[in-house]
C-alpha cells in the first residue's frame, strides 16, 4: 500500500507528570510493562503498514525513543525518527516533517493510542472513497470503576462525557460536522449548506475522534502550507477540511504549483468523481457528486472533497493515554481480558520469586526479576521488572514500574509508582503518583497526591 | 399501603378505558390566517376553493371521517357564513357517526385565537386532531394515535405528535415542491422527539445553531432538511390550555412549537410521526395548489380523488396538468391552455393563450387575450381583447387593500377579512360606476384591477406561483449560491481564526462570537445617529427634537443610553474632522464650535459618570482609528469638554484610574493628558482642603 505512516509520539506531556520525565518520555511510558508506543507500532505492523516516521518532541526524547525502536523493531519496520521542537502542535509537527512525506496518502496516528482497531481498516476506507481525509471515530470509553474512590471516578466520567460533536450523513460514511475543544461547550453551529446538500445529518455526541487520520498527502500539505496558523490537526485542520468540503479551496487555488499529482487531479476531476462513485459502491452518487453537478446534469467547476469516517465497532477498544486516569484504565484493561493487544515480544520472562503465603490475584502482571517477600497481596496490579518488594505488602489497583523498592508493610492503592522509587517501611499510599527516583520515608501516609523530586 | 396499591392499579386499568370513552375529535381550522391566496380569498374562503373541482374542505373532512374521527369542530372566521352555508347544504351535516359542528368567530386573527376560543367553549374532552381545512391526506391515523397514546401513558408531558413526511427541498431554490420554505428539524432518532424547528429560515444565516444542552441531553440527534411538515397534529387537551395560558401565541408553528421547544414550558414535549407511503400535504400557496392538484389527478391521494368523492361529475384530464371544469365553461377555438386551472362558468374566447394560470369562476377572456405564466384571475374578471396580462399578476374586481404591512403579524389582522366579505357585498352594488375606470387596466372591455406587487415581494412572487420556476431564475439562484458560499467560507475562516485563539485562551473566542451580533447592531445604530445628527446640523433642527429622534433610534435599536452618548459624540467629532480645516488649531476651533452648539444634545444623554467615561473611551478609540488627526489634540479636547461641563472631573479621573493598569500602548493618551489630569487632581485636593 502506498501509505506513509506518521506516528505523533509526543514528548513530555504535562498531563502525565510525574509519570513522565526527561528520562522517560511519554512514548516510552510502560503500559503493562511495555512502552505505550509499542501498542501502536504493533497494530501498524499487523496491518502491514511498515513505512513509518515517528515524530518525537525534543531531541533528547527522540534519541531515547529511537534507541528503543531500533532495539525492538529492527528488521520488522522501516522507521525514521524525527525530532521536532516542543509545543508546536500536531499540525506544526506535520509541517516540520512535510518534506519527508512522499506517498500518496498519509496515515497520521497518535503515539499514545491504545487500540485494537486495525489501522488498515481506516486506510482501506480512505482509499475506497478517495477521500481527502478519513478520521477514525470510536465510542467514548467508559472510565472503569475504581474500587477505591469510586465517586471520584464517576465525577470524572461525567466531566469527560463529551469529546466531540460529530455530524454524519445517513449512511454514516461521511463526516459533515465536527466540533472539538471549547466549541463543544457552545451552541452547535451547523452549516446549512452542507445540510442542504445531504438532507439529513445525524449529530452524535457519543463518538470521539480517536486521533487516527488518513490524509491525501497533497491536500494535507496544501492546507498546512496555506493555513500557517493552524496548530492542531484535531482542532484546526480537520474542522477546516470538514467545513470546506463542498467548496474545496485547498484543491482549487494551488493547482499550478502543485506537483504532478494535483495537476493530474484537476484535469481528471470528472473522471475521478466518476470512479470514486463506483468505488463508493453507491447506486446513487454521493451528495458530494450531486452537489457539484449543475441542474442540467453536467459537472460544474465546483470542487468538493470528501471527509470520511471509519467508525470503530463499539466492542473494540480505543483509548488515548493522555491522562493519569486513562493510564490507570488502560493498564487495567490491558492486563484484564485484552491479551490480544500485546505483541509477542511482551511475554513475561521467568516468573518472579514469591515469598511464602504471598498471593497474586488475577489481572496482574509481574515483570521478570522481581522479588516479593512473605504474605504479600497483589490484586489487579502491575509490577515491573527487578522490583524488590518486602513482606506484608499490599498492592491493589496500582502500577509499579521497574526497579522499585518497596519496604515491609506498605499498602498501595490505586497508585502509580514510577521507576527507581523507594518506598520505606509502612508507607500507605492511596490514589497517589510517585515520580521517578522519589524516596518516600518510612511510615508516611499520602492520599491523592502527586509526589515527585523537585526539578533542579 | 395495600389500599393505595389497589387504587393505583385500578387507575391504570381505567386509563385506556377513559381514553377510549371519548369519541375522537378534530379541530378543523377553516381559515389559514394568511394572505397567500389573495385576491381570491377576498371573495371566497380558501377552504371552499375548488381543488380538482371539489372544495378543499371536502378532502379534509372525507379524510377525517375515514380516519375514525367522530366529531369535527370547524372553526370559521373569514367568510364564516359561506363556510357554514356550504357545510349545512352539503352531505356532511347529515352523516351518521360523524358530526360536523361549526364554531364561528369574527374577531380571531390567528390560529392561536381560534384555539383559545375553542378552549373557552369547552368542547374538547380528550386527544384531538388539529388540522387546517386545506389539507389533503390519505394517511391512516391509527398508528400515529396509538403512538401518541402510548407515549402519553409513559410521559404525561408528550402533548403533541406532529406528522412529517419525507420531502427533500430543491438544493437550488431551497423550497419543497409544495412551494413552502425549507424546514430544519432536529429529531431524536430513538424517541422521535422534536428538538428543533425552524421553518422561517433566515437566508442570511448560513448556520443552524443548536443549543448545547440539546446535544448534551441527546447522544444522537438527527438534523433534517428533507422533511416536510404535513400540518396534521395529534394534540392532547393541554395544547388548548397552553394557548390560553400564553395569550401571545398566534401562529401554531412559529409561536407554539417554537415556544415549547425553546422556552421549555413545563417540560412539555413534541414528538413526530413520519409517514412513508401515504399522502399528506397542505395547500399553503399557489405552488402547492398546483402540485397537489397534479397529485390528485394522478391519484396519489386515493381514495380521496374526485371521482370517488363525488362520482357524478365528469372529470376530463386533457393533458398532464391541465383539466377543464365541465360546468358551463365555454372555450373558443384556437385556444392554448397549458398547466392552468380554470374554474366554473369561465368563458374563453377564440385565440386566447393561457399558461400556468388560475382562472376563477365567471372570468371572461375576450378573444386574443394572453395570460403569461403565474397569472391569477379572481372571480368575474374580464380580460379585454388582445390584452396581455403580465406574468405573476393578480387580478381582481376588488381593489387591493391599502395596508402594506409586510409584518406577518399584522397580516393576520387584515386577513380576517370580515372586511373583505363586507366589501364584496358593497362592491356588487358599486361596481357599475367604477367600471369605466377599471377598464383601462385590462384592455378594452376588461374589468378588474391588477394588483400591485409590493416592493421587495416581487422577488418572492415566483416562489409561490402556480407557474414553474423559470430557468433564468434557477441560473441566477445558482450564481447567488456560489456567492453565498464565498461569503460562508469567509465566515468559516473567521471562525477558525477564533478557534485558533481558543487554543491559547479559552474565554476570548467565545466572547467575540457572542458580541458579534450586538456589534453589528451598534455600528448601524451609530450610522443612524450620525445621519440624524448631520440632519440636525444642516437643517437647524431644534435640540429637543434631535434628542427625541436619537431617543427613538435608541429604542428601536435597543441600545443603552451609554451608547447614545458615545454615538453622538462620535458624530460631532466626525463632523469636526470633515469640515474644512488647515491646521490642528483650526480643527480644535471646529470641534469647539460644534461642541458649544450641540452640548445640550450631548449632555442630555450623559446622565452619570459611566456614560461620560464611555465618551472618553469613544474619543480614544476615534483618535486611534477613524480620526487620527485628533490624536494630537486629545488633551485639549478633553479640557474643552471639561470646560463645557460635558465631562465632570470625576469621570476624567476615573477614566485615568482605570487606564492606570492598562498596557503601555493603551496609555498613550493618558500620558498626553497627564498634565491636565494632574491639574484636575490638584484642583480636587484644593477643593477638599477648602471643604475641610
Amino acid at each position: 500500500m502506498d501509505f506513509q505512516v506518521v506516528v505523533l509520539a509526543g514528548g513530555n506531556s504535562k498531563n502525565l507528570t510525574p509519570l513522565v520525565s526527561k528520562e522517560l518520555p511519554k512514548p516510552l511510558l510502560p503500559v503493562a510493562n511495555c512502552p505505550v508506543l509499542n501498542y501502536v507500532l504493533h497494530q501498524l505492523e499487523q496491518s502491514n503498514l511498515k513505512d513509518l516516521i515517528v515524530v518525537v518532541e525534543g531531541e533528547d526524547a527522540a534519541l531515547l525513543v529511537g534507541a528503543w525502536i531500533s532495539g525492538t523493531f529492527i528488521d520488522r519496520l522501516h522507521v525514521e525518527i524525527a525530532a521536532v521542537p516542543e509545543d508546536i502542535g500536531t499540525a506544526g509537527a506535520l509541517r516540520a516533517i512535510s518534506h519527508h512525506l512522499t506517498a500518496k496518502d498519509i496515515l497520521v496516528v497518535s503515539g499514545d493510542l491504545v487500540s485494537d482497531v486495525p489501522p488498515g481498516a481506516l486506510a482501506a476506507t480512505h482509499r475506497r472513497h478517495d477521500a481527502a481525509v478519513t478520521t477514525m471515530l470510536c465510542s467514548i470509553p467508559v472510565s472503569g470503576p475504581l474500587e477505591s474512590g469510586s465517586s471520584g471516578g464517576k465525577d470524572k466520567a461525567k466531566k469527560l462525557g463529551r469529546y466531540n460533536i460529530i455530524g454524519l450523513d445517513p449512511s454514516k460514511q461521511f463526516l459533515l460536522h465536527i466540533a472539538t475543544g471549547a466549541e463543544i461547550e457552545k451552541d452547535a453551529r451547523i452549516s446549512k449548506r452542507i445540510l442542504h446538500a445531504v438532507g439529513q445529518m445525524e449529530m452524535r455526541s457519543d463518538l470521539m475522534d480517536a486521533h487516527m487520520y488518513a490524509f491525501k498527502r497533497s491536500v494535507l500539505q496544501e492546507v498546512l502550507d496555506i493555513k500557517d496558523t493552524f496548530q492542531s490537526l484535531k482542532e484546526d485542520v480537520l474542522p477546516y477540511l470538514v467545513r470546506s468540503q463542498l467548496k474545496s479551496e485547498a484543491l482549487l487555488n494551488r493547482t499550478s504549483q502543485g506537483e504532478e499529482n494535483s495537476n493530474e487531479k484537476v484535469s481528471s476531476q470528472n473522471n475521478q468523481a466518476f470512479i470514486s462513485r463506483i468505488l463508493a459502491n453507491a447506486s446513487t452518487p454521493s451528495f458530494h457528486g450531486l452537489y457539484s453537478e449543475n441542474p442540467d446534469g453536467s459537472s460544474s467547476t465546483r470542487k468538493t472533497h470528501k471527509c470520511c469516517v471509519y467508525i470503530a465497532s463499539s466492542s473494540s477498544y480505543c483509548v488515548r493515554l493522555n491522562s493519569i486516569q486513562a493510564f490507570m484504565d488502560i493498564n487495567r484493561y490491558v492486563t484484564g481480558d485484552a491479551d490480544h493487544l500485546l505483541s509477542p515480544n511482551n511475554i513475561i520472562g521467568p516468573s518472579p520469586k514469591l515469598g511464602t503465603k504471598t498471593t497474586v490475584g488475577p489481572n496482574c502482571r509481574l515483570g521478570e526479576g522481581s522479588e516479593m517477600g512473605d504474605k504479600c497481596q497483589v490484586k489487579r496490579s502491575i509490577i515491573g521488572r527487578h522490583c524488590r518488594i518486602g513482606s506484608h505488602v499490599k498492592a491493589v489497583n496500582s502500577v509499579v514500574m521497574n526497579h522499585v523498592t518497596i519496604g515491609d508493610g506498605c499498602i498501595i492503592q490505586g497508585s502509580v509508582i514510577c521507576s527507581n522509587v523507594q518506598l520505606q517501611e509502612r508507607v500507605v499510599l492511596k490514589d497517589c503518583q510517585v515520580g521517578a527516583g522519589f524516596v518516600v520515608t518510612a511510615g508516611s501516609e499520602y492520599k491523592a497526591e502527586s509526589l515527585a523530586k523537585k526539578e533542579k | 399501603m395495600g389500599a393505595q396499591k389497589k387504587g393505583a392499579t385500578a387507575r391504570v386499568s381505567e386509563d385506556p378505558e377513559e381514553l377510549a370513552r371519548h369519541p375522537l375529535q378534530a379541530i378543523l381550522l377553516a381559515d389559514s390566517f394568511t394572505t397567500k391566496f389573495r385576491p381570491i380569498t377576498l371573495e371566497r374562503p380558501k377552504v371552499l376553493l375548488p381543488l380538482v373541482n371539489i372544495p378543499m374542505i371536502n378532502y379534509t373532512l372525507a379524510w377525517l371521517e375515514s380516519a375514525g374521527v367522530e366529531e369535527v369542530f370547524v372553526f370559521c372566521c373569514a367568510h364564516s357564513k359561506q363556510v357554514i352555508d356550504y357545510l349545512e347544504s352539503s352531505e356532511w351535516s347529515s352523516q351518521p357517526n360523524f358530526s360536523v359542528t361549526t364554531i364561528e368567530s369574527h374577531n380571531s386573527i390567528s390560529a392561536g385565537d381560534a384555539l383559545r376560543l375553542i378552549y373557552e367553549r369547552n368542547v374538547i374532552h380528550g386527544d384531538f386532531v388539529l388540522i387546517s381545512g386545506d389539507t389533503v391526506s390519505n394517511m391512516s391515523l391509527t398508528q400515529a394515535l396509538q403512538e401518541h397514546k402510548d407515549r402519553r401513558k409513559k410521559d404525561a408531558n408528550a402533548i403533541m405528535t406532529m406528522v412529517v413526511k419525507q420531502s427533500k427541498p430543491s438544493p437550488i431554490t431551497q423550497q419543497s415542491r409544495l412551494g413552502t420554505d425549507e424546514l430544519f428539524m432536529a429529531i431524536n432518532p430513538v424517541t422521535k422527539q422534536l428538538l428543533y424547528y425552524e421553518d422561517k429560515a433566515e437566508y442570511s444565516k448560513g448556520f443552524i445553531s443548536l443549543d448545547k444542552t440539546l446535544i448534551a441531553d441527546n447522544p444522537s440527534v438527527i438534523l433534517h432538511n428533507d422533511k416536510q411538515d404535513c400540518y396534521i397534529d395529534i394534540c392532547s387537551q393541554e395544547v388548548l390550555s397552553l394557548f390560553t395560558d400564553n395569550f401571545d401565541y398566534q401562529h401554531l408553528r412559529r409561536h407554539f412549537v417554537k415556544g415549547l421547544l425553546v422556552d421549555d414550558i413545563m417540560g412539555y414535549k413534541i414528538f413526530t410521526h413520519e409517514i412513508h407511503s401515504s399522502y399528506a400535504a397542505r395547500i399553503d400557496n399557489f405552488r402547492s395548489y398546483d402540485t397537489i392538484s397534479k397529485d390528485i389527478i394522478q391519484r396519489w391521494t386515493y381514495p380521496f380523488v374526485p371521482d370517488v368523492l363525488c362520482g357524478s361529475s365528469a372529470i376530463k384530464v386533457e393533458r398532464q396538468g391541465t383539466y377543464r371544469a365541465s360546468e358551463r365553461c365555454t372555450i373558443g377555438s384556437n385556444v392554448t391552455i397549458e398547466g392552468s386551472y380554470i374554474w366554473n362558468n369561465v368563458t374563453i374566447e377564440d385565440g386566447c393563450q393561457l399558461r400556468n394560470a388560475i382562472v376563477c369562476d365567471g372570468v371572461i377572456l375576450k378573444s386574443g387575450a394572453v395570460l403569461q405564466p403565474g397569472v391569477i384571475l379572481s372571480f368575474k374578471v374580464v380580460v379585454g381583447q388582445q390584452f396581455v396580462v403580465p406574468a405573476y399578476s393578480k387580478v381582481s374586481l376588488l381593489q387591493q387593500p391599502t395596508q402594506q404591512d409586510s409584518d406577518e403579524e399584522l397580516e393576520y389582522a387584515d386577513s380576517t377579512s370580515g372586511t373583505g366579505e363586507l366589501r364584496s357585498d358593497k362592491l356588487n352594488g358599486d361596481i357599475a360606476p367604477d367600471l369605466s375606470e377599471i377598464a383601462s387596466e385590462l384592455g378594452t372591455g376588461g374589468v378588474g384591477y391588477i394588483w400591485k406587487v409590493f416592493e421587495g415581494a416581487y422577488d418572492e412572487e415566483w416562489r409561490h406561483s402556480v407557474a414553474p420556476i423559470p430557468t433564468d431564475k434557477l441560473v441566477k439562484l445558482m450564481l447567488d449560491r456560489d456567492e453565498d458560499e464565498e461569503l460562508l467560507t469567509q465566515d468559516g475562516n473567521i471562525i477558525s481564526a477564533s478557534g485558533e485563539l481558543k487554543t491559547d485562551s479559552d474565554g476570548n473566542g467565545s466572547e467575540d462570537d457572542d458580541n458579534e451580533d450586538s456589534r453589528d447592531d451598534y455600528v448601524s445604530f451609530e450610522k443612524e445617529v450620525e445621519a440624524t445628527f448631520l440632519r440636525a446640523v444642516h437643517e437647524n433642527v431644534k435640540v429637543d427634537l434631535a434628542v427625541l429622534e436619537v431617543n427613538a433610534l435608541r429604542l428601536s435599536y435597543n441600545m443603552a443610553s451609554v451608547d447614545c452618548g458615545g454615538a453622538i459624540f462620535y458624530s460631532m467629532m466626525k463632523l469636526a474632522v470633515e469640515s474644512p480645516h488647515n491646521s490642528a488649531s483650526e480643527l480644535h476651533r471646529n470641534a469647539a464650535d460644534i461642541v458649544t452648539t450641540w452640548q445640550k444634545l450631548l449632555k442630555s444623554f450623559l446622565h452619570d459618570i459611566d456614560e461620560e467615561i464611555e465618551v472618553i473611551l469613544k474619543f480614544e478609540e476615534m483618535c486611534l482609528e477613524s480620526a487620527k488627526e485628533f490624536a494630537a489634540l486629545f488633551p485639549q479636547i478633553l479640557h474643552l469638554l471639561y470646560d463645557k461641563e460635558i465631562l465632570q472631573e470625576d469621570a476624567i479621573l476615573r477614566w485615568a484610574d482605570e487606564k492606570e493598569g492598562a498596557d503601555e500602548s493603551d496609555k498613550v493618551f493618558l500620558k498626553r493628558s497627564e498634565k491636565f489630569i494632574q491639574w484636575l487632581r490638584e484642583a480636587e485636593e484644593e477643593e477638599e482642603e477648602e471643604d475641610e
Side-chain angles (χ1 to χ4, degrees), chain B residues 87-111:
Chain B
L87 288 175
E88 273 169 6
S89 63
S90 73
E91 66 207 54
W92 296 114
S93 51
S94 55
Q95 291 279 335
N97 303 327
F98 186 66
S99 77
V100 177
T101 318
T102 51
I103 295 176
E104 199 181 350
S105 160
H106 291 293
N107 52 5
S108 299
I109 54 161
S110 69

Side-chain angles (χ1 to χ4, degrees), chain B residues 372-548:
Chain B
Q372 288 186 343
V375 167
I376 313 291
L377 296 183
S378 187
F379 298 93
K380 294 191 180 119
V381 163
V382 180
V383 179
Q385 276 184 15
Q386 309 292 336
F387 188 77
V388 179
V389 185
Y392 305 123
S393 343
K394 294 175 177 172
V395 186
S396 169
L397 283 188
L398 301 177
Q399 268 180 334
Q400 194 163 11
T402 40
Q403 302 100 308
Q404 296 204 1
D405 299 306
S406 56
D407 193 311
E408 198 92 11
E409 308 282 326
L410 292 171
E411 254 177 69
Y412 298 135
D414 60 296
S415 76
T416 48
S417 300
T419 51
E421 204 179 342
L422 282 177
R423 222 187 289 172
S424 72
D425 293 340
K426 208 170 71 185
L427 229 126
N428 285 337
D430 292 354
I431 211 158
D434 284 0
L435 269 180
S436 55
E437 186 203 323
I438 305 169
S440 54
E441 275 195 51
L442 283 174
T444 38
V447 182
Y449 296 103
I450 297 182
W451 283 24
K452 286 186 194 69
V453 175
F454 301 138
E455 211 175 306
Y458 184 78
D459 281 348
E460 299 300 309
E461 219 41 60
W462 54 270
R463 279 185 176 272
H464 298 150
S465 163
V466 270
I469 301 170
T471 31
D472 58 322
K473 280 282 180 209
L474 286 180
V475 171
K476 191 168 162 283
L477 272 175
M478 287 282 287
L479 294 175
D480 283 357
R481 187 178 68 161
D482 283 357
E483 272 167 37
D484 278 0
E485 266 163 37
E486 257 142 53
L487 282 175
L488 286 178
T489 355
Q490 279 166 12
D491 240 18
N493 289 346
I494 292 164
I495 295 164
S496 75
S498 71
E500 280 150 32
L501 269 180
K502 256 173 264 151
T503 48
D504 310 324
S505 54
D506 282 354
N508 282 352
S510 56
E511 257 173 49
D512 282 356
D513 267 10
D514 295 341
N515 286 340
E516 232 160 65
D517 286 345
S518 59
R519 180 157 280 276
D520 285 351
D521 270 1
Y522 181 71
V523 169
S524 59
F525 168 72
E526 206 172 66
K527 284 215 176 94
E528 287 287 331
V529 169
E530 197 187 326
T532 310
F533 176 72
L534 286 180
R535 206 169 52 240
V537 171
H538 296 308
E539 294 169 17
N540 280 325
V541 177
K542 283 210 182 88
V543 170
D544 298 353
L545 284 179
V547 170
L548 216 62

Side-chain angles (χ1 to χ4, degrees), chain A residues 162 165 182-193 195-206 227 229-232 235-236 240 243-244 246-247 249 291 293-295 302, chain B residues 168 172 174 182 184 198 201-202 205-212 215-216 218-227 478 481-482 485-486 488-489 492-493 495-496 500 502-503 510 513:
Chain A
R162 291 182 305 138
I165 295 168
E183 270 179 78
I184 298 168
E185 297 308 319
K186 290 198 287 175
D187 292 355
R189 281 151 60 97
I190 295 119
S191 157
K192 281 186 187 166
R193 188 163 32 103
L195 198 52
H196 285 145
V198 74
Q200 178 177 332
M201 184 194 291
E202 184 175 5
M203 306 295 297
R204 299 278 293 262
S205 50
D206 56 350
K227 307 280 174 187
T229 49
F230 281 3
Q231 284 229 326
S232 158
E235 289 178 20
D236 298 323
Y240 169 76
R243 232 179 8 241
S244 62
L246 292 183
K247 185 161 181 75
E249 281 179 348
Y291 187 83
E293 265 170 17
N294 284 326
R302 215 186 304 278
Chain B
K168 194 164 181 333
I172 301 166
Q174 294 170 2
E182 59 177 347
F184 291 102
E198 179 182 324
E202 294 162 59
K205 254 169 70 180
F207 291 92
I208 295 176
S209 179
L210 282 189
D211 197 76
K212 59 187 176 213
I215 294 172
N218 302 278
S220 167
V221 176
I222 295 192
L223 266 175
H224 291 280
N225 177 229
D226 56 352
K227 294 280 183 280
M478 287 282 287
R481 187 178 68 161
D482 283 357
E485 266 163 37
E486 257 142 53
L488 286 178
T489 355
N493 289 346
I495 295 164
S496 75
E500 280 150 32
K502 256 173 264 151
T503 48
S510 56
D513 267 10

Side-chain angles (χ1 to χ4, degrees), chain A residues 62-300:
Chain A
L63 285 176
L64 287 168
V65 174
W68 174 76
I69 290 179
S70 53
T72 321
F73 283 95
I74 193 154
D75 297 337
R76 293 203 284 155
L77 294 172
H78 176 251
V79 182
E80 281 177 59
I81 307 284
V84 296
E86 287 180 39
D87 294 329
I88 57 169
T90 44
L94 274 178
R95 205 175 281 127
I97 58 145
S98 177
H99 55 280
H100 288 299
L101 302 176
T102 50
K104 180 166 177 274
D105 293 290
I106 310 293
L107 189 80
V108 180
V109 56
S110 174
D112 57 5
L113 192 69
V114 178
S115 160
D116 55 4
V117 183
L122 175 77
T125 309
H126 181 70
R127 275 289 162 81
R128 188 152 55 89
H129 290 294
D130 189 29
V133 58
T134 305
T135 180
M136 187 166 92
L137 302 177
C138 60
S139 318
I140 287 175
V142 188
S143 211
L146 270 173
E147 206 156 280
S148 54
S150 63
S151 64
K154 248 181 215 162
D155 278 354
K156 216 156 200 175
K158 224 178 211 171
K159 213 163 62 190
L160 299 173
R162 291 182 305 138
Y163 293 85
N164 292 114
I165 295 168
I166 284 161
L168 300 172
D169 80 314
S171 66
K172 295 190 179 21
Q173 288 179 327
F174 298 106
L175 184 61
L176 307 173
H177 176 85
I178 186 160
T180 54
E183 270 179 78
I184 298 168
E185 297 308 319
K186 290 198 287 175
D187 292 355
R189 281 151 60 97
I190 295 119
S191 157
K192 281 186 187 166
R193 188 163 32 103
I194 291 178
L195 198 52
H196 285 145
V198 74
Q200 178 177 332
M201 184 194 291
E202 184 175 5
M203 306 295 297
R204 299 278 293 262
S205 50
D206 56 350
L207 290 174
M208 71 164 196
D209 176 359
H211 228 288
M212 190 194 286
Y213 314 99
F215 286 99
K216 199 173 269 180
R217 177 181 53 88
S218 50
V219 173
L220 178 66
Q221 285 176 333
E222 275 166 25
V223 170
L224 291 176
D225 242 18
I226 299 167
K227 307 280 174 187
D228 51 3
T229 49
F230 281 3
Q231 284 229 326
S232 158
L233 279 184
K234 188 188 173 92
E235 289 178 20
D236 298 323
V237 178
L238 183 64
Y240 169 76
L241 284 173
V242 170
R243 232 179 8 241
S244 62
Q245 59 182 305
L246 292 183
K247 185 161 181 75
S248 175
E249 281 179 348
L251 293 178
L252 207 67
N253 295 343
R254 300 176 29 98
T255 48
S256 50
Q257 296 156 8
E259 298 111 86
E260 71 281 29
N261 248 359
S262 59
N263 260 333
E264 182 194 354
K265 185 178 313 169
V266 174
S267 61
S268 63
Q269 178 78 25
N270 300 350
N271 219 346
Q272 270 200 351
F274 184 66
I275 291 166
S276 69
R277 239 180 245 172
I278 296 171
L279 289 175
N281 291 334
S283 52
T284 51
S286 81
F287 70 95
H288 290 95
L290 277 177
Y291 187 83
S292 59
E293 265 170 17
N294 284 326
D296 53 2
S298 70
S299 183
S300 76

Side-chain angles (χ1 to χ4, degrees), chain A residues 372-445:
Chain A
M372 293 180 87
D374 300 336
K375 291 183 183 166
C376 289
Q377 276 190 341
V378 181
K379 284 182 194 162
R380 293 181 296 278
S381 293
I382 295 163
I383 312 268
R385 282 181 277 269
H386 306 292
C387 292
R388 265 162 223 294
I389 295 174
S391 307
H392 300 281
V393 171
K394 219 171 142 183
V396 182
N397 277 330
S398 295
V399 177
V400 176
M401 295 185 194
N402 304 332
H403 303 286
V404 174
T405 312
I406 298 177
D408 295 346
C410 287
I411 298 173
I412 308 163
Q413 278 190 334
S415 299
V416 183
I417 317 289
C418 291
S419 300
N420 302 320
V421 166
Q422 192 182 348
L423 300 187
Q424 294 175 349
E425 288 90 50
R426 298 179 312 283
V427 167
V428 179
L429 295 177
K430 198 174 176 197
D431 302 329
C432 289
Q433 296 88 42
V434 186
F438 195 80
V439 179
V440 184
T441 48
S444 47
E445 285 187 28

